[in-house]
Amino acid sequence: MRVLLVEDDAMIGEAVCVALKDAAYAVDWVRRGDEAADALRYGEHQAVLLDLGLPGRGGLELLAGLRQQGSSIPVIIITARDGLSERIAGLDSGADDYLVKPFDLDELLARLRAVIRRQGGQASGLIGNGQITLDPATHTAFCGESREVLSSREFAVLHALLLQPGRILSRSALEERVYGWDEEVESNAIDYLIHQLRKKLGAASIKNIRGAGWMVEKEQ
């Protein structure tokens, strides 16, 4: 899952980046509002963590522009602005959640899991397709009698597939969700991760659609 972090404070940005990467998110970090607007034009990200007091373009202006363009990407505002009127303005501008600094990184990750889950139409803390169940909080997958703790990359691939069961995700689509801008991707990286997941969860857990990509079955 790929997240765009829009934060001009170096210390906070670095801490959030580390927490996101430890939690198996691919993260791209920009420090200006206008840079964020450019990054979001390509639709590579599945969520945005957005500060409000940004150089180049303010966070609320950026958010309002996104919603006017019809984007439904989940957005969590992270800001030191804690006034009631500011929180209302943020949510009314289209934010999915609003978190005031200083915040606990575990809480930020929990809120991020929640908005991404809801974006995928999942209300439960667990996601699954009737065959495989995945706990995003612990990176544990359940399939039949198997219970497997996944590596960060394995989790990221399976999470992406389970959020859209029945949909084929191509190699490039999976790479976009698993790797950030500054990460080098080997040509067979996704194949290797799919192989590892099948080894842990069973060969039938992930289907290969020749020439198109991979998918998990949609629950009937």
Side-chain angles (χ1 to χ4, degrees):
M1 194 59 55
R2 192 164 175 180
V3 175
L4 182 68
L5 171 63
V6 192
E7 171 63 68
D8 64 332
D9 185 288
M11 186 176 296
I12 294 174
E14 288 172 8
V16 172
C17 274
V18 169
L20 288 171
K21 289 178 179 177
D22 285 348
Y25 292 98
V27 53
D28 299 317
W29 177 17
V30 295
R31 294 162 176 77
R32 297 175 55 89
D34 47 359
E35 292 175 347
D38 290 340
L40 289 166
R41 287 198 182 102
Y42 301 101
E44 297 173 329
H45 300 93
Q46 284 74 56
V48 181
L49 300 177
L50 178 65
D51 192 11
L52 294 182
L54 298 164
R57 183 181 297 184
L60 283 184
E61 180 187 348
L62 175 68
L63 176 58
L66 266 180
R67 297 314 187 213
Q68 287 168 6
Q69 294 161 17
S71 172
S72 59
I73 186 171
V75 176
I76 299 176
I77 290 176
I78 51 173
T79 179
R81 299 179 185 176
D82 61 352
L84 176 61
S85 61
E86 290 163 319
R87 284 181 275 150
I88 291 172
L91 293 167
D92 282 347
S93 294
D96 298 87
D97 203 349
Y98 193 108
L99 190 58
V100 176
K101 300 172 183 172
F103 49 76
D104 187 281
L105 288 169
D106 287 337
E107 182 181 0
L108 174 65
L109 293 174
R111 289 174 184 248
L112 184 58
R113 287 194 294 272
V115 297
I116 291 173
R117 194 170 64 232
R118 287 199 295 271
Q119 176 74 0
Q122 304 268 359
S124 167
L126 304 177
I127 63 172
N129 66 342
Q131 179 186 5
I132 309 167
T133 301
L134 182 64
D135 183 349
T138 63
H139 294 187
T140 304
F142 304 86
C143 185
E145 298 297 319
S146 299
R147 176 185 182 279
E148 299 284 348
V149 177
L150 306 179
S151 72
S152 293
R153 300 292 194 204
E154 292 166 357
F155 166 78
V157 169
L158 186 60
H159 191 209
L161 291 168
L162 282 174
L163 282 176
Q164 297 177 300
R167 178 179 171 184
I168 301 169
L169 293 183
S170 67
R171 184 188 312 279
S172 61
L174 285 171
E175 287 175 350
E176 283 180 1
R177 286 163 173 76
V178 175
Y179 298 96
W181 290 331
D182 58 347
E183 297 178 276
E184 187 173 339
V185 185
E186 295 185 8
S187 60
N188 64 344
I190 296 298
D191 301 76
Y192 174 75
L193 292 169
I194 295 286
H195 171 75
Q196 291 298 105
L197 285 167
R198 284 173 163 164
K199 193 174 173 183
K200 290 182 175 180
L201 303 174
S205 59
I206 299 174
K207 283 192 169 183
N208 174 233
I209 310 301
R210 187 177 294 276
W214 296 269
M215 61 174 283
V216 295
E217 294 280 7
K218 188 173 184 178
E219 187 172 12
Q220 299 299 314

